[in-house]
CSV table of all heavy atoms in Angstrom, one decimal:
chain,number,residue,atom,x,y,z
A,1,GLU,N,67.7,-72.4,-2.7
A,1,GLU,CA,69.0,-72.1,-3.0
A,1,GLU,C,69.5,-72.8,-4.3
A,1,GLU,O,68.9,-73.7,-4.7
A,1,GLU,CB,69.9,-72.3,-1.8
A,1,GLU,CG,70.0,-73.8,-1.4
A,1,GLU,CD,70.9,-74.1,-0.1
A,1,GLU,OE1,71.2,-73.0,0.5
A,1,GLU,OE2,71.2,-75.2,0.0
A,2,GLY,N,70.8,-72.6,-4.4
A,2,GLY,CA,71.4,-73.2,-5.7
A,2,GLY,C,72.5,-72.3,-6.2
A,2,GLY,O,72.4,-70.9,-6.1
A,3,PHE,N,73.5,-72.8,-6.9
A,3,PHE,CA,74.6,-72.0,-7.4
A,3,PHE,C,74.1,-71.1,-8.4
A,3,PHE,O,74.4,-69.8,-8.4
A,3,PHE,CB,75.7,-72.9,-8.0
A,3,PHE,CG,76.7,-72.1,-8.8
A,3,PHE,CD1,77.7,-71.4,-8.0
A,3,PHE,CD2,76.8,-72.1,-10.1
A,3,PHE,CE1,78.8,-70.7,-8.6
A,3,PHE,CE2,77.9,-71.3,-10.7
A,3,PHE,CZ,78.8,-70.8,-10.0
A,4,ASP,N,73.3,-71.5,-9.4
A,4,ASP,CA,72.8,-70.7,-10.5
A,4,ASP,C,71.7,-69.7,-9.9
A,4,ASP,O,71.7,-68.5,-10.2
A,4,ASP,CB,72.1,-71.5,-11.6
A,4,ASP,CG,73.2,-72.3,-12.4
A,4,ASP,OD1,74.0,-71.7,-13.0
A,4,ASP,OD2,73.1,-73.5,-12.2
A,5,TYR,N,70.9,-70.0,-9.0
A,5,TYR,CA,70.0,-69.2,-8.3
A,5,TYR,C,70.6,-68.1,-7.5
A,5,TYR,O,70.2,-67.0,-7.8
A,5,TYR,CB,69.0,-70.1,-7.4
A,5,TYR,CG,68.0,-69.3,-6.6
A,5,TYR,CD1,66.9,-68.9,-7.1
A,5,TYR,CD2,68.3,-69.0,-5.3
A,5,TYR,CE1,65.9,-68.1,-6.4
A,5,TYR,CE2,67.3,-68.3,-4.5
A,5,TYR,CZ,66.1,-67.9,-5.2
A,5,TYR,OH,65.3,-67.1,-4.4
A,6,ASP,N,71.6,-68.5,-6.7
A,6,ASP,CA,72.2,-67.5,-5.9
A,6,ASP,C,73.0,-66.5,-6.8
A,6,ASP,O,73.0,-65.3,-6.6
A,6,ASP,CB,73.3,-68.0,-4.9
A,6,ASP,CG,72.5,-68.9,-3.9
A,6,ASP,OD1,71.3,-68.7,-3.7
A,6,ASP,OD2,73.1,-69.7,-3.1
A,7,LEU,N,73.7,-67.0,-7.9
A,7,LEU,CA,74.5,-66.1,-8.7
A,7,LEU,C,73.6,-65.1,-9.4
A,7,LEU,O,73.9,-64.0,-9.6
A,7,LEU,CB,75.3,-67.1,-9.7
A,7,LEU,CG,76.2,-66.4,-10.5
A,7,LEU,CD1,77.4,-65.6,-9.9
A,7,LEU,CD2,76.9,-67.3,-11.6
A,8,LEU,N,72.5,-65.6,-10.1
A,8,LEU,CA,71.7,-64.7,-10.8
A,8,LEU,C,70.9,-63.8,-9.9
A,8,LEU,O,70.7,-62.6,-10.3
A,8,LEU,CB,70.6,-65.6,-11.5
A,8,LEU,CG,69.8,-64.8,-12.7
A,8,LEU,CD1,70.7,-64.0,-13.5
A,8,LEU,CD2,68.9,-65.7,-13.4
A,9,HIS,N,70.7,-64.2,-8.6
A,9,HIS,CA,70.1,-63.4,-7.7
A,9,HIS,C,71.0,-62.1,-7.4
A,9,HIS,O,70.6,-60.9,-7.2
A,9,HIS,CB,69.8,-64.1,-6.3
A,9,HIS,CG,68.4,-63.8,-5.8
A,9,HIS,ND1,68.0,-62.5,-5.5
A,9,HIS,CD2,67.4,-64.7,-5.5
A,9,HIS,CE1,66.7,-62.6,-5.0
A,9,HIS,NE2,66.4,-63.8,-5.1
A,10,ALA,N,72.3,-62.4,-7.3
A,10,ALA,CA,73.3,-61.3,-7.1
A,10,ALA,C,73.2,-60.3,-8.3
A,10,ALA,O,73.3,-59.1,-8.0
A,10,ALA,CB,74.7,-61.9,-6.9
A,11,PHE,N,73.1,-60.8,-9.5
A,11,PHE,CA,73.0,-59.9,-10.6
A,11,PHE,C,71.7,-59.1,-10.6
A,11,PHE,O,71.8,-57.9,-10.7
A,11,PHE,CB,73.1,-60.7,-11.9
A,11,PHE,CG,72.6,-59.9,-13.2
A,11,PHE,CD1,73.7,-59.2,-13.8
A,11,PHE,CD2,71.3,-60.0,-13.7
A,11,PHE,CE1,73.4,-58.5,-14.9
A,11,PHE,CE2,71.0,-59.4,-14.9
A,11,PHE,CZ,72.0,-58.6,-15.5
A,12,ALA,N,70.6,-59.8,-10.2
A,12,ALA,CA,69.3,-59.1,-10.2
A,12,ALA,C,69.3,-58.1,-9.1
A,12,ALA,O,68.8,-56.8,-9.2
A,12,ALA,CB,68.2,-60.1,-9.9
A,13,ASP,N,69.8,-58.4,-8.0
A,13,ASP,CA,69.9,-57.4,-6.9
A,13,ASP,C,70.7,-56.1,-7.2
A,13,ASP,O,70.4,-55.0,-7.0
A,13,ASP,CB,70.5,-58.1,-5.6
A,13,ASP,CG,69.5,-59.1,-4.9
A,13,ASP,OD1,68.4,-59.0,-5.2
A,13,ASP,OD2,70.1,-59.8,-4.1
A,14,GLU,N,71.9,-56.3,-7.8
A,14,GLU,CA,72.7,-55.2,-8.3
A,14,GLU,C,71.9,-54.3,-9.3
A,14,GLU,O,72.1,-53.1,-9.3
A,14,GLU,CB,74.0,-55.7,-8.9
A,14,GLU,CG,74.9,-54.4,-9.3
A,14,GLU,CD,76.3,-55.0,-9.7
A,14,GLU,OE1,76.9,-55.7,-9.0
A,14,GLU,OE2,76.6,-54.5,-10.8
A,15,LYS,N,71.2,-54.9,-10.1
A,15,LYS,CA,70.4,-54.2,-11.1
A,15,LYS,C,69.1,-53.7,-10.8
A,15,LYS,O,68.4,-53.2,-11.5
A,15,LYS,CB,70.3,-55.1,-12.4
A,15,LYS,CG,71.7,-55.6,-13.0
A,15,LYS,CD,72.6,-54.4,-13.3
A,15,LYS,CE,73.9,-55.0,-13.9
A,15,LYS,NZ,74.9,-53.9,-14.2
A,16,LYS,N,68.8,-54.0,-9.5
A,16,LYS,CA,67.5,-53.7,-8.9
A,16,LYS,C,66.2,-54.3,-9.7
A,16,LYS,O,65.2,-53.6,-10.0
A,16,LYS,CB,67.3,-52.2,-8.8
A,16,LYS,CG,68.3,-51.5,-7.8
A,16,LYS,CD,68.1,-50.1,-7.8
A,16,LYS,CE,69.0,-49.4,-6.7
A,16,LYS,NZ,70.4,-49.9,-6.5
A,17,LEU,N,66.5,-55.5,-10.0
A,17,LEU,CA,65.5,-56.3,-10.7
A,17,LEU,C,64.8,-57.3,-9.8
A,17,LEU,O,65.6,-57.9,-8.9
A,17,LEU,CB,65.9,-57.0,-12.0
A,17,LEU,CG,66.5,-56.1,-13.0
A,17,LEU,CD1,67.2,-56.9,-14.0
A,17,LEU,CD2,65.4,-55.3,-13.7
A,18,ARG,N,63.6,-57.7,-9.9
A,18,ARG,CA,63.0,-58.8,-9.1
A,18,ARG,C,63.2,-60.0,-10.0
A,18,ARG,O,62.7,-60.2,-11.1
A,18,ARG,CB,61.6,-58.5,-8.8
A,18,ARG,CG,60.9,-59.6,-7.9
A,18,ARG,CD,59.7,-59.2,-7.2
A,18,ARG,NE,58.7,-58.8,-8.1
A,18,ARG,CZ,57.8,-59.6,-8.7
A,18,ARG,NH1,57.7,-60.9,-8.3
A,18,ARG,NH2,56.9,-59.2,-9.6
A,19,LEU,N,63.9,-61.1,-9.3
A,19,LEU,CA,64.2,-62.3,-10.0
A,19,LEU,C,63.0,-63.3,-9.8
A,19,LEU,O,62.6,-63.4,-8.6
A,19,LEU,CB,65.4,-62.9,-9.5
A,19,LEU,CG,65.8,-64.3,-10.1
A,19,LEU,CD1,65.9,-64.3,-11.6
A,19,LEU,CD2,67.0,-64.9,-9.4
A,20,VAL,N,62.5,-63.8,-10.8
A,20,VAL,CA,61.5,-64.9,-10.8
A,20,VAL,C,62.1,-66.1,-11.6
A,20,VAL,O,62.4,-66.0,-12.7
A,20,VAL,CB,60.1,-64.5,-11.4
A,20,VAL,CG1,59.2,-65.7,-11.5
A,20,VAL,CG2,59.5,-63.3,-10.7
A,21,MET,N,62.4,-67.2,-10.9
A,21,MET,CA,63.1,-68.3,-11.4
A,21,MET,C,62.2,-69.5,-11.4
A,21,MET,O,61.6,-69.9,-10.4
A,21,MET,CB,64.4,-68.6,-10.6
A,21,MET,CG,65.4,-69.2,-11.3
A,21,MET,SD,67.0,-69.0,-10.5
A,21,MET,CE,68.2,-69.7,-11.8
A,22,ILE,N,61.9,-70.1,-12.6
A,22,ILE,CA,61.1,-71.2,-12.8
A,22,ILE,C,61.7,-72.4,-13.0
A,22,ILE,O,62.6,-72.6,-14.0
A,22,ILE,CB,60.1,-70.9,-14.1
A,22,ILE,CG1,59.4,-69.6,-14.0
A,22,ILE,CG2,59.0,-72.0,-14.1
A,22,ILE,CD1,58.6,-69.3,-12.8
A,23,PRO,N,61.5,-73.5,-12.0
A,23,PRO,CA,62.2,-74.8,-12.4
A,23,PRO,C,61.4,-75.6,-13.5
A,23,PRO,O,60.2,-75.7,-13.4
A,23,PRO,CB,62.1,-75.5,-11.0
A,23,PRO,CG,60.9,-74.8,-10.4
A,23,PRO,CD,60.8,-73.4,-10.9
A,24,GLU,N,62.1,-76.1,-14.4
A,24,GLU,CA,61.6,-77.0,-15.4
A,24,GLU,C,62.5,-78.1,-15.7
A,24,GLU,O,63.7,-77.9,-16.2
A,24,GLU,CB,61.4,-76.0,-16.8
A,24,GLU,CG,61.0,-76.8,-18.0
A,24,GLU,CD,59.8,-77.7,-17.8
A,24,GLU,OE1,58.7,-77.1,-17.6
A,24,GLU,OE2,59.9,-78.9,-17.8
A,25,MET,N,62.1,-79.4,-15.6
A,25,MET,CA,63.0,-80.4,-15.8
A,25,MET,C,63.2,-80.8,-17.2
A,25,MET,O,64.3,-81.4,-17.6
A,25,MET,CB,62.3,-81.7,-15.1
A,25,MET,CG,62.0,-81.5,-13.6
A,25,MET,SD,63.5,-81.1,-12.7
A,25,MET,CE,64.5,-82.5,-13.0
A,26,SER,N,62.4,-80.5,-18.2
A,26,SER,CA,62.5,-80.8,-19.6
A,26,SER,C,63.6,-79.9,-20.2
A,26,SER,O,63.3,-78.5,-20.2
A,26,SER,CB,61.2,-80.8,-20.4
A,26,SER,OG,61.5,-80.8,-21.7
A,27,PHE,N,64.7,-80.3,-20.8
A,27,PHE,CA,65.6,-79.4,-21.5
A,27,PHE,C,64.9,-78.7,-22.7
A,27,PHE,O,65.1,-77.6,-23.0
A,27,PHE,CB,66.8,-80.2,-21.9
A,27,PHE,CG,67.8,-79.3,-22.7
A,27,PHE,CD1,68.8,-78.5,-22.1
A,27,PHE,CD2,67.8,-79.3,-24.1
A,27,PHE,CE1,69.5,-77.7,-22.8
A,27,PHE,CE2,68.6,-78.5,-24.8
A,27,PHE,CZ,69.5,-77.7,-24.2
A,28,GLU,N,64.1,-79.5,-23.4
A,28,GLU,CA,63.3,-79.0,-24.5
A,28,GLU,C,62.5,-77.9,-24.2
A,28,GLU,O,62.4,-76.9,-25.0
A,28,GLU,CB,62.6,-80.2,-25.2
A,28,GLU,CG,61.9,-79.8,-26.6
A,28,GLU,CD,61.2,-81.0,-27.3
A,28,GLU,OE1,61.2,-82.0,-26.5
A,28,GLU,OE2,60.8,-80.8,-28.3
A,29,LYS,N,61.7,-78.0,-23.1
A,29,LYS,CA,60.8,-77.0,-22.7
A,29,LYS,C,61.5,-75.7,-22.2
A,29,LYS,O,61.1,-74.6,-22.4
A,29,LYS,CB,59.9,-77.5,-21.6
A,29,LYS,CG,58.9,-78.5,-22.1
A,29,LYS,CD,58.0,-79.0,-21.0
A,29,LYS,CE,56.8,-80.0,-21.5
A,29,LYS,NZ,56.1,-80.5,-20.4
A,30,ARG,N,62.7,-75.9,-21.6
A,30,ARG,CA,63.5,-74.8,-21.2
A,30,ARG,C,64.0,-74.0,-22.4
A,30,ARG,O,63.9,-72.8,-22.5
A,30,ARG,CB,64.7,-75.2,-20.4
A,30,ARG,CG,64.4,-75.8,-19.0
A,30,ARG,CD,65.6,-75.8,-18.0
A,30,ARG,NE,66.7,-76.7,-18.5
A,30,ARG,CZ,66.8,-78.1,-18.3
A,30,ARG,NH1,65.9,-78.6,-17.5
A,30,ARG,NH2,67.8,-78.7,-18.7
A,31,LEU,N,64.5,-74.8,-23.4
A,31,LEU,CA,64.9,-74.1,-24.7
A,31,LEU,C,63.8,-73.4,-25.4
A,31,LEU,O,63.9,-72.3,-25.9
A,31,LEU,CB,65.6,-75.2,-25.6
A,31,LEU,CG,66.1,-74.7,-26.9
A,31,LEU,CD1,67.3,-73.7,-26.6
A,31,LEU,CD2,66.7,-75.9,-27.6
A,32,ASP,N,62.6,-74.1,-25.5
A,32,ASP,CA,61.4,-73.5,-26.2
A,32,ASP,C,61.0,-72.2,-25.4
A,32,ASP,O,60.6,-71.3,-26.1
A,32,ASP,CB,60.3,-74.5,-26.2
A,32,ASP,CG,60.6,-75.6,-27.2
A,32,ASP,OD1,61.5,-75.5,-28.1
A,32,ASP,OD2,59.8,-76.6,-27.1
A,33,GLY,N,61.1,-72.2,-24.1
A,33,GLY,CA,60.7,-71.1,-23.4
A,33,GLY,C,61.7,-69.8,-23.6
A,33,GLY,O,61.2,-68.7,-23.6
A,34,ILE,N,62.9,-70.1,-23.8
A,34,ILE,CA,63.8,-69.0,-24.2
A,34,ILE,C,63.6,-68.5,-25.6
A,34,ILE,O,63.5,-67.4,-25.9
A,34,ILE,CB,65.3,-69.6,-24.0
A,34,ILE,CG1,65.6,-69.8,-22.6
A,34,ILE,CG2,66.3,-68.4,-24.5
A,34,ILE,CD1,65.6,-68.6,-21.7
A,35,CYS,N,63.4,-69.4,-26.5
A,35,CYS,CA,63.2,-69.0,-27.9
A,35,CYS,C,61.9,-68.3,-28.1
A,35,CYS,O,61.8,-67.4,-28.9
A,35,CYS,CB,63.2,-70.3,-28.8
A,35,CYS,SG,64.9,-71.0,-28.8
A,36,SER,N,60.9,-68.7,-27.3
A,36,SER,CA,59.6,-68.0,-27.4
A,36,SER,C,59.4,-66.7,-26.7
A,36,SER,O,58.5,-65.9,-26.9
A,36,SER,CB,58.4,-69.0,-27.0
A,36,SER,OG,58.5,-69.2,-25.5
A,37,GLY,N,60.3,-66.5,-25.8
A,37,GLY,CA,60.3,-65.3,-25.0
A,37,GLY,C,59.5,-65.5,-23.7
A,37,GLY,O,59.4,-64.5,-22.9
A,38,ALA,N,59.3,-66.6,-23.2
A,38,ALA,CA,58.6,-66.9,-22.0
A,38,ALA,C,59.5,-66.6,-20.9
A,38,ALA,O,59.2,-66.2,-19.7
A,38,ALA,CB,58.0,-68.3,-21.9
A,39,TYR,N,60.8,-66.9,-21.2
A,39,TYR,CA,61.9,-66.7,-20.1
A,39,TYR,C,63.0,-65.8,-20.8
A,39,TYR,O,63.2,-65.8,-22.0
A,39,TYR,CB,62.5,-68.0,-19.6
A,39,TYR,CG,61.4,-69.0,-19.2
A,39,TYR,CD1,61.3,-70.2,-20.0
A,39,TYR,CD2,60.6,-68.8,-18.1
A,39,TYR,CE1,60.5,-71.2,-19.6
A,39,TYR,CE2,59.7,-69.8,-17.8
A,39,TYR,CZ,59.6,-71.0,-18.5
A,39,TYR,OH,58.6,-71.9,-18.1
A,40,ASP,N,63.7,-65.1,-19.9
A,40,ASP,CA,64.8,-64.2,-20.5
A,40,ASP,C,66.1,-64.9,-20.5
A,40,ASP,O,67.0,-64.7,-21.3
A,40,ASP,CB,64.8,-63.0,-19.5
A,40,ASP,CG,63.6,-62.2,-19.5
A,40,ASP,OD1,63.0,-61.9,-20.6
A,40,ASP,OD2,63.1,-61.9,-18.4
A,41,ILE,N,66.4,-65.7,-19.5
A,41,ILE,CA,67.6,-66.4,-19.3
A,41,ILE,C,67.4,-67.9,-19.0
A,41,ILE,O,66.7,-68.3,-18.2
A,41,ILE,CB,68.4,-65.8,-18.0
A,41,ILE,CG1,68.7,-64.3,-18.4
A,41,ILE,CG2,69.8,-66.5,-17.9
A,41,ILE,CD1,69.3,-63.6,-17.1
A,42,LEU,N,68.3,-68.7,-19.6
A,42,LEU,CA,68.4,-70.2,-19.3
A,42,LEU,C,69.5,-70.2,-18.3
A,42,LEU,O,70.6,-70.3,-18.6
A,42,LEU,CB,68.7,-71.0,-20.5
A,42,LEU,CG,69.0,-72.5,-20.3
A,42,LEU,CD1,67.8,-73.1,-19.6
A,42,LEU,CD2,69.2,-73.1,-21.6
A,43,ALA,N,69.0,-70.2,-17.0
A,43,ALA,CA,70.0,-70.1,-15.9
A,43,ALA,C,70.4,-71.5,-15.2
A,43,ALA,O,70.1,-71.7,-14.1
A,43,ALA,CB,69.5,-69.1,-14.9
A,44,THR,N,70.9,-72.4,-16.1
A,44,THR,CA,71.5,-73.6,-15.6
A,44,THR,C,72.6,-74.0,-16.4
A,44,THR,O,72.6,-73.6,-17.7
A,44,THR,CB,70.4,-74.7,-15.5
A,44,THR,OG1,70.9,-75.9,-14.8
A,44,THR,CG2,70.0,-75.2,-16.9
A,45,GLY,N,73.7,-74.4,-15.9
A,45,GLY,CA,74.8,-74.7,-16.7
A,45,GLY,C,74.6,-75.5,-17.8
A,45,GLY,O,74.2,-76.7,-17.7
A,46,THR,N,74.8,-75.0,-19.0
A,46,THR,CA,74.5,-75.7,-20.3
A,46,THR,C,75.7,-75.9,-21.2
A,46,THR,O,76.5,-74.8,-21.3
A,46,THR,CB,73.3,-75.0,-21.0
A,46,THR,OG1,72.2,-74.9,-20.3
A,46,THR,CG2,73.0,-75.8,-22.3
A,47,ALA,N,76.0,-77.1,-21.6
A,47,ALA,CA,77.3,-77.3,-22.4
A,47,ALA,C,77.2,-76.4,-23.7
A,47,ALA,O,76.1,-76.5,-24.4
A,47,ALA,CB,77.5,-78.7,-22.7
A,48,ILE,N,78.3,-75.7,-24.0
A,48,ILE,CA,78.3,-75.0,-25.2
A,48,ILE,C,78.8,-75.8,-26.3
A,48,ILE,O,80.0,-76.3,-26.3
A,48,ILE,CB,79.2,-73.7,-25.1
A,48,ILE,CG1,78.8,-72.8,-23.9
A,48,ILE,CG2,79.3,-72.9,-26.3
A,48,ILE,CD1,79.7,-71.6,-23.7
C-alpha cells in the first residue's frame, strides 16, 4: 500500500490498465528510468 500506489492504482483501474509499480531507492536511477523509457511515471512526490 501507499498513498502514491493507491492513487495511481485508482487511475489505472479506471483506464483498465494493469499497474506494475517498481520500488527504487535511488533518485538518480528513478530519473534515468523515466528518461530512458523503462518506466512511464515517476510516482512518488517529487519537488518541482
Side-chain angles (χ1 to χ4, degrees):
E1 63 179 16
F3 176 74
D4 294 295
Y5 176 77
D6 292 345
L7 185 59
L8 190 54
H9 226 302
F11 171 81
D13 287 347
E14 181 176 308
K15 305 301 182 182
K16 296 179 170 47
L17 298 170
R18 182 162 62 89
L19 175 63
V20 176
M21 207 160 187
I22 308 299
E24 171 57 64
M25 297 308 293
S26 166
F27 178 83
E28 184 176 12
K29 289 180 181 179
R30 292 197 297 270
L31 183 60
D32 287 347
I34 295 295
C35 293
S36 69
Y39 312 114
D40 304 310
I41 301 175
L42 174 54
T44 190
T46 302
I48 303 176

